[in-house]
Amino acid sequence: MPRRRQLPLDMLALDRGSATPLYRQLYESLRSQILDGRLAARMRLPATRELANDLGVSRNTVIGAYDALQAEGYLESAAGSGTRVAALPEYVGRTKVGRHASRLPGLSKRGRLMTSLWRDRTIPDRIAFHPGYPEIQAFPFTTWARLVAANMRNIREDLFGYHLVAGHPRLRLAIAEYLGVSRGVNCEPDQIIVVTGAQAALDLIGRLFMDPGDCFWIEDPGYAGAYNAFVSAGGRPAPLPVGPGGWGIEKANPSPRLIFVTPSCQWPLGLVMPMEVRLRLLQIAEKHDAWIVEDDYDSEYRFRGHPIPAMQGLDDSGRVIYVGTLSKTMFPSVRVAYIVVPPTLVEGFKTAVSVSGQYPPLLLQAAVADFISQGFFAIHLRRMRRLYARRQREFVAMCNTRLDRWLSVREIDTGMQLMGRFKRPMDDGDVLVAAMKRGVDFSRMSPHYRFAEPEQGMFLGYAGVDQDTTRRGVERLRLAFQDLERGSRQG
Amino acid sequence: MPRRRQLPLDMLALDRGSATPLYRQLYESLRSQILDGRLAARMRLPATRELANDLGVSRNTVIGAYDALQAEGYLESAAGSGTRVAALPEYVGRTKVGRHASRLPGLSKRGRLMTSLWRDRTIPDRIAFHPGYPEIQAFPFTTWARLVAANMRNIREDLFGYHLVAGHPRLRLAIAEYLGVSRGVNCEPDQIIVVTGAQAALDLIGRLFMDPGDCFWIEDPGYAGAYNAFVSAGGRPAPLPVGPGGWGIEKANPSPRLIFVTPSCQWPLGLVMPMEVRLRLLQIAEKHDAWIVEDDYDSEYRFRGHPIPAMQGLDDSGRVIYVGTLSKTMFPSVRVAYIVVPPTLVEGFKTAVSVSGQYPPLLLQAAVADFISQGFFAIHLRRMRRLYARRQREFVAMCNTRLDRWLSVREIDTGMQLMGRFKRPMDDGDVLVAAMKRGVDFSRMSPHYRFAEPEQGMFLGYAGVDQDTTRRGVERLRLAFQDLERGSRQG
């Protein structure tokens, strides 16, 4: 067993007066010490509880810092041996981390905000059970590679300029047709603005519709990506409370400039917004002269009944801005999403996107257009719908058999992830640490709350995980829960 | 018990020949009648078996339609009382005839600015003589298609998540090596942030380094893309005057937060910034605690002498943010560019780019990495350097032979475009109109000035135009000038 060296606590001075969150300060401090070699490879770090005590901070602060460092590969943890500094490649240690950082100008206020927002970090090769991952082994990559290669060889001057900033015409047509038939979205191809992912869509929308100080409503619990984009645009968030009973519209105030909702499959609760609430939201938006942003991120995966048409199709005023993505229906790294905007805003969005540079490569767009219009997309969707329905049933059954003592998981009708509720009081941060030690991942429920008292729980992605991995993952979760029980009996 | 009203069956006409499934037709028909009030709230619908008989369809068809309507809240059903039309709020009942643009909420102030900025519009299939176009016929698309297809088939889970927001590790390594060797840029792969084009880089930089009201210096005449990004971030522009004699640093004020320069090949004048000016700019930046943004957009094309190393390599403070792009060295629609940031800002940029969504598809990045690291990039660059040197000589010779009466064009050492100065007073807007009538394009000089009295002239791209097209284009310009002369004699 390696000699246990002491973590030099005096080098971890935290500034409680700083705007930078404590976990971030701790993260940065540890990271720079790893990078410059002061914390040696393989060195063991104190347990989170211990370090939290030593530093006089909450345990979640330490967990947050460790999680981030682990997600990025600075730390590694293994069952039984705690958390250690990872052995990093050669060039680290020569980095210029210390290169007169103190002489650098500062970031802008907005920059300090944007660079310190919470992000849900995914970990390479550990998709059990992180939400937001589609199945990729089943994606028709051979067909896809053929379509891409054909388009990459197809040298046409009109694809090489800078004029098609709103998207490839064939792709805009294919998306408009798909949205009309499958999602009840009412639009012409010209209203489609193709962007580099749903996050880019939200970022652009936040900037074009809100000035600093403008209020936006966001579901609570709700989608961090939208929250981050809109506060980066200077928006002032106000909660639109969501609970097991649905959307608490009457509790939302003050007057919003923009309302962000996920009506087809609420993120993270998985609820479907009832028609009555949709119509009342439209009334409210009209009363306050507000925009509605409808994020329809994975409505394609509906397992019982029929997909529910988008709010955009109900709206006769043009104030519903519809956002859709191919990250879940194709794969995340394709980086193609789209915004449906009212006809009068099309030219403005083109100019704005040419300023922000948020448009994806045209040759890739052409391949995506072929993938949709030649029917491969519909076939893949149908297959995935069946696959995910089966995976969800199996996953829920396994959870109910093996994790029943700690966790309640129920089938839902839509989406690629579901919520696990604890049967006894537990901190989802503790559960995550225990799960990570056992080599399995999930997203904590509590960070999705920004206003209400957070509900502790697990947000579990099952769609991208095959049966064997699911079984192993559930067993690992079982071990993690058992570890926690043992720990708390001893503690 | 409420009076039973009759469902008007004649309004439920189903088209058996249509591609739309029958249940979907029934669903849509019922839905639209509920929405426009023809089926009143609380009205009871026939039992599924009964309606199926009446319509002559299978009972599953009716069940499918009822289920969907119920899931969406249009219908409600209660044990013992059958299926009824739900009582929906007021909003329903309006017809969607004509979407009234006047009823839309407005854009934000920033949105009105961003959507109304000047953009240099390129025209499909008319690249003679628009600046910014590389040669694309000579691009090795077969090799490229092969590399892309290989990567698109190469299913690896670690490429499908959301964790590699700063770029594909292979690409970051390839770019860092290239920049070190070819551009004298001093960086580790970890400092490379890959983004969707130079415009995205400038947009991100503007937001992270400037708050509304902060002053930035921009070359005058200078690059509109940078100007647009920085004023969209709320920056207040101040001129850094550039003339035939170079950069008028001493004339720039007030105190800047950010200084934007194109030292390797000034856009649009084509000048190279002397070392002395570079060092003085670094001093000035230090004095004002300002960032320098170095846009190195086409320094690769240097035809005489050696490429001049980037300012970034001169700087020991980390305040020079280097921006490079593959739009000119590969092709514009590849949408891959990169920012070199100080090590301490890497994590912050990762978070910021995950908020703004400005990162390109990983599979495409992998192909670009292969293209560079397998040597194709260097070979292509060498070939293009020779080709553009020859094209520039020929283009200048043709202009001097055929347009000598109106235009003065001189060879320059760097870049893919050059400036034409009028020999007699002319308005470049008039010349552009005349040229477009003759089917040839260029970019006007005067819009590149934002502060000083604009110089009228032509900004001409020659690199992407083959010899024949160049000859025809120059003849067309000659005709355009003659048209103008005739017009002014008649006028």
Side-chain angles (χ1 to χ4, degrees):
Chain A
M1 186 173 164
R3 186 172 60 92
R4 168 106 177 250
R5 278 171 296 181
Q6 201 57 48
L7 186 69
L9 279 187
D10 53 322
M11 285 161 30
L12 295 177
L14 304 179
D15 176 7
R16 275 150 220 282
S18 160
T20 308
L22 285 174
Y23 89 89
R24 190 84 205 162
Q25 294 183 39
L26 179 58
Y27 158 89
E28 275 163 10
S29 178
L30 287 169
R31 181 175 174 276
S32 74
Q33 294 186 38
I34 293 169
L35 279 176
D36 66 20
R38 277 177 288 168
L39 295 183
R42 317 293 309 149
M43 176 177 169
R44 185 141 119 182
L45 294 192
T48 51
R49 198 181 300 274
E50 188 186 331
L51 184 56
N53 278 339
D54 290 347
L55 293 172
V57 299
S58 92
R59 195 168 157 218
N60 277 339
T61 299
V62 180
I63 291 174
Y66 278 25
D67 276 356
L69 290 164
Q70 203 172 325
E72 292 168 29
Y74 292 103
L75 297 181
E76 45 193 31
S77 86
S81 75
T83 303
R84 294 177 182 282
V85 175
L88 295 170
E90 184 57 31
Y91 69 81
V92 173
R94 290 192 282 116
T95 55
K96 279 172 270 163
V97 161
R99 196 173 107 172
H100 315 291
S102 58
R103 283 168 54 197
L104 281 183
L107 297 181
S108 63
K109 274 192 211 124
R110 168 177 47 210
R112 289 198 295 279
L113 172 72
M114 274 182 88
T115 56
S116 63
L117 290 164
W118 181 78
R119 61 179 159 121
D120 195 12
R121 285 155 203 264
T122 61
I123 303 173
D125 295 322
R126 197 180 296 173
I127 58 171
F129 297 103
H130 206 95
Y133 278 97
E135 168 61 51
I136 56 152
Q137 298 297 334
F139 188 80
F141 279 104
T142 307
T143 301
W144 169 243
R146 179 173 58 74
L147 296 175
V148 173
N151 279 288
M152 294 282 166
R153 262 193 307 270
N154 181 17
I155 310 168
R156 287 181 43 213
E157 282 179 3
D158 63 352
L159 292 187
F160 288 86
Y162 300 90
H163 50 282
L164 295 173
V165 289
H168 192 292
R170 287 213 318 273
L171 180 58
R172 296 169 86 196
L173 177 63
I175 291 172
E177 285 178 356
Y178 163 72
L179 289 180
V181 172
S182 301
R183 304 296 307 125
V185 170
N186 194 350
C187 70
E188 301 293 332
D190 191 50
Q191 290 173 253
I192 308 285
I193 310 288
V194 180
V195 291
T196 56
Q199 193 59 41
L202 298 172
D203 176 67
L204 194 62
I205 286 168
R207 292 197 269 167
L208 295 188
F209 293 145
M210 279 189 295
D211 279 314
D214 284 345
C215 172
F216 68 94
W217 289 4
I218 185 154
E219 295 163 330
D220 188 49
Y223 181 49
Y227 178 88
N228 288 351
F230 298 155
V231 299
S232 294
R236 203 161 32 87
L240 173 56
V242 191
W247 280 255
I249 293 189
E250 66 293 340
K251 294 186 208 110
N253 57 69
S255 178
R257 174 96 188 115
L258 183 154
I259 300 172
F260 174 81
V261 281
T262 50
S264 303
C265 179
Q266 204 272 334
W267 181 279
L269 299 183
L271 305 171
V272 177
M273 188 185 282
M275 184 54 54
E276 191 205 338
V277 178
R278 294 176 189 227
L279 296 170
R280 276 171 57 208
L281 260 186
L282 285 167
Q283 284 176 332
I284 289 173
E286 186 160 300
K287 184 175 137 211
H288 293 284
D289 199 26
W291 296 96
I292 291 179
V293 178
E294 174 177 31
D295 187 352
D296 203 33
Y297 63 99
D298 70 355
S299 60
E300 285 84 358
Y301 298 123
R302 186 160 177 88
F303 309 121
R304 276 166 290 277
H306 299 281
I308 295 186
M311 274 182 82
Q312 194 269 5
L314 285 177
D315 168 41
D316 67 347
S317 71
R319 72 180 66 243
V320 176
I321 306 294
Y322 177 93
V323 176
T325 177
L326 297 171
S327 291
K328 315 291 193 255
T329 46
M330 290 181 66
F331 48 87
S333 64
V334 72
R335 308 309 308 144
V336 173
Y338 39 88
I339 317 175
V340 182
V341 305
T344 49
L345 293 188
V346 171
E347 273 309 306
F349 263 80
K350 282 188 192 175
T351 298
V353 87
S354 80
V355 173
S356 72
Q358 287 159 314
Y359 50 103
L362 278 172
L363 293 176
L364 201 68
Q365 292 186 44
V368 174
D370 291 344
F371 190 75
I372 297 175
S373 62
Q374 293 178 23
F376 300 112
F377 183 68
I379 293 169
H380 181 61
L381 265 187
R382 243 193 333 266
R383 287 182 58 213
M384 291 307 101
R385 210 174 280 128
R386 279 197 299 269
L387 179 69
Y388 297 171
R390 198 184 69 221
R391 284 189 174 173
Q392 198 200 80
R393 272 195 313 276
E394 291 171 353
F395 177 69
V396 170
M398 283 185 216
C399 288
N400 288 341
T401 314
R402 304 297 291 162
L403 309 177
D404 183 51
R405 183 183 171 92
W406 307 278
L407 199 68
S408 156
V409 178
R410 289 217 317 247
E411 289 186 26
I412 57 174
D413 291 347
T414 321
M416 310 193 315
Q417 45 272 322
L418 33 73
M419 192 180 160
R421 292 194 155 81
F422 296 131
K423 290 192 167 176
R424 50 192 76 182
M426 274 190 273
D427 181 303
D428 55 19
D430 294 344
V431 179
L432 182 59
V433 170
M436 296 284 266
K437 280 189 188 155
R438 290 293 185 175
V440 62
D441 191 19
F442 64 89
S443 177
R444 299 159 59 199
M445 278 303 295
S446 59
H448 296 93
Y449 289 82
R450 279 163 213 94
F451 299 92
E453 178 68 27
E455 180 165 349
Q456 305 290 317
M458 299 166 77
F459 194 32
L460 296 150
Y462 60 83
V465 195
D466 65 32
Q467 200 173 26
D468 267 8
T469 315
T470 299
R471 184 168 298 128
R472 278 201 309 274
V474 169
E475 287 312 314
R476 287 172 181 194
L477 283 181
R478 183 178 166 88
L479 292 172
F481 279 119
Q482 288 172 341
D483 292 345
L484 276 176
E485 277 192 340
R486 247 192 313 280
S488 65
R489 273 200 306 274
Q490 291 165 354
Chain B
M1 189 173 163
R3 187 171 59 90
R4 166 107 176 247
R5 279 173 292 183
Q6 201 57 48
L7 186 68
L9 279 187
D10 52 326
M11 285 162 28
L12 295 177
L14 303 179
D15 174 5
R16 276 149 219 282
S18 160
T20 309
L22 285 175
Y23 86 82
R24 193 80 202 163
Q25 293 183 42
L26 180 58
Y27 159 86
E28 273 162 13
S29 178
L30 287 169
R31 179 173 173 272
S32 74
Q33 294 186 38
I34 294 170
L35 279 176
D36 66 20
R38 276 177 289 166
L39 295 183
R42 316 293 308 149
M43 176 176 168
R44 186 140 119 186
L45 294 193
T48 52
R49 195 183 305 273
E50 188 185 329
L51 184 57
N53 277 339
D54 288 349
L55 292 173
V57 298
S58 90
R59 191 170 160 216
N60 277 340
T61 300
V62 179
I63 291 175
Y66 277 21
D67 277 354
L69 291 164
Q70 204 172 321
E72 291 162 29
Y74 291 103
L75 299 181
E76 43 193 33
S77 87
S81 76
T83 303
R84 296 176 182 283
V85 175
L88 295 171
E90 183 53 354
Y91 197 85
V92 172
R94 288 213 202 104
T95 64
K96 272 186 254 169
V97 266
R99 300 194 165 207
H100 302 292
S102 58
R103 283 169 51 196
L104 281 184
L107 296 180
S108 63
K109 273 192 212 124
R110 169 177 46 210
R112 289 198 295 279
L113 172 72
M114 273 182 88
T115 55
S116 63
L117 290 164
W118 180 77
R119 62 178 157 122
D120 194 12
R121 288 158 203 262
T122 61
I123 303 172
D125 296 321
R126 196 180 296 171
I127 57 171
F129 296 102
H130 206 96
Y133 279 98
E135 168 60 49
I136 56 152
Q137 297 297 334
F139 189 79
F141 278 104
T142 307
T143 301
W144 169 243
R146 179 173 57 75
L147 296 175
V148 173
N151 279 288
M152 295 282 165
R153 264 193 305 270
N154 181 17
I155 310 169
R156 285 183 43 215
E157 282 181 2
D158 63 352
L159 292 187
F160 288 86
Y162 301 89
H163 50 280
L164 296 172
V165 289
H168 192 293
R170 288 213 319 272
L171 181 58
R172 296 169 87 197
L173 177 63
I175 290 172
E177 286 178 355
Y178 163 72
L179 290 180
V181 172
S182 301
R183 304 296 307 125
V185 170
N186 195 349
C187 69
E188 301 293 335
D190 190 51
Q191 291 172 254
I192 308 286
I193 309 287
V194 180
V195 291
T196 56
Q199 193 60 41
L202 298 171
D203 177 66
L204 194 62
I205 287 168
R207 291 197 269 168
L208 295 188
F209 293 146
M210 279 190 294
D211 280 312
D214 283 346
C215 172
F216 68 95
W217 289 2
I218 185 154
E219 295 162 331
D220 188 51
Y223 181 49
Y227 178 87
N228 288 351
F230 298 155
V231 299
S232 294
R236 202 160 33 87
L240 173 55
V242 192
W247 280 256
I249 292 188
E250 65 293 337
K251 294 186 208 113
N253 57 68
S255 179
R257 174 100 188 113
L258 184 154
I259 300 172
F260 174 82
V261 280
T262 50
S264 303
C265 180
Q266 205 273 334
W267 181 279
L269 299 183
L271 304 171
V272 176
M273 189 185 282
M275 184 56 66
E276 190 208 337
V277 178
R278 295 175 188 229
L279 295 172
R280 276 170 58 208
L281 258 187
L282 285 167
Q283 285 174 337
I284 289 174
E286 187 157 302
K287 183 177 138 209
H288 293 284
D289 199 26
W291 296 97
I292 291 179
V293 178
E294 175 177 30
D295 186 352
D296 204 33
Y297 63 99
D298 71 354
S299 60
E300 286 84 359
Y301 299 123
R302 185 157 178 88
F303 310 119
R304 277 166 290 275
H306 298 285
I308 296 185
M311 277 182 80
Q312 195 271 4
L314 287 177
D315 168 42
D316 67 349
S317 71
R319 71 179 68 246
V320 176
I321 306 295
Y322 178 94
V323 176
T325 177
L326 297 171
S327 291
K328 315 291 193 254
T329 46
M330 291 181 66
F331 48 87
S333 64
V334 73
R335 308 308 309 147
V336 173
Y338 40 89
I339 318 176
V340 182
V341 305
T344 48
L345 293 189
V346 171
E347 273 309 307
F349 264 81
K350 282 187 192 174
T351 299
V353 86
S354 80
V355 173
S356 73
Q358 286 159 317
Y359 50 103
L362 278 172
L363 294 176
L364 200 68
Q365 291 187 44
V368 173
D370 291 344
F371 190 75
I372 297 175
S373 62
Q374 294 178 22
F376 300 111
F377 183 66
I379 294 169
H380 180 63
L381 266 187
R382 240 188 342 262
R383 287 181 58 213
M384 291 307 103
R385 210 175 279 128
R386 279 198 300 270
L387 178 69
Y388 297 171
R390 197 185 71 223
R391 284 189 174 173
Q392 199 200 79
R393 272 195 314 275
E394 292 170 354
F395 177 69
V396 170
M398 284 186 218
C399 288
N400 287 341
T401 313
R402 305 296 293 161
L403 310 177
D404 182 54
R405 184 184 169 95
W406 307 277
L407 200 69
S408 157
V409 178
R410 290 215 318 243
E411 290 186 27
I412 58 173
D413 291 347
T414 322
M416 310 194 314
Q417 45 272 321
L418 34 72
M419 192 179 160
R421 291 193 156 83
F422 296 132
K423 290 191 166 175
R424 51 192 75 184
M426 274 189 274
D427 182 301
D428 55 20
D430 294 343
V431 179
L432 182 59
V433 170
M436 296 286 266
K437 280 189 190 153
R438 289 294 184 173
V440 62
D441 191 19
F442 65 87
S443 176
R444 297 159 61 198
M445 278 303 294
S446 59
H448 296 91
Y449 289 83
R450 278 163 214 97
F451 300 92
E453 177 68 27
E455 181 167 347
Q456 305 290 319
M458 300 165 77
F459 194 31
L460 297 150
Y462 60 83
V465 195
D466 64 32
Q467 200 172 26
D468 267 9
T469 314
T470 300
R471 185 168 297 128
R472 278 201 310 274
V474 169
E475 288 310 313
R476 288 173 180 192
L477 281 182
R478 184 180 164 87
L479 292 172
F481 279 119
Q482 288 173 340
D483 292 345
L484 275 176
E485 275 193 341
R486 246 192 315 278
S488 66
R489 272 201 308 273
Q490 289 166 354

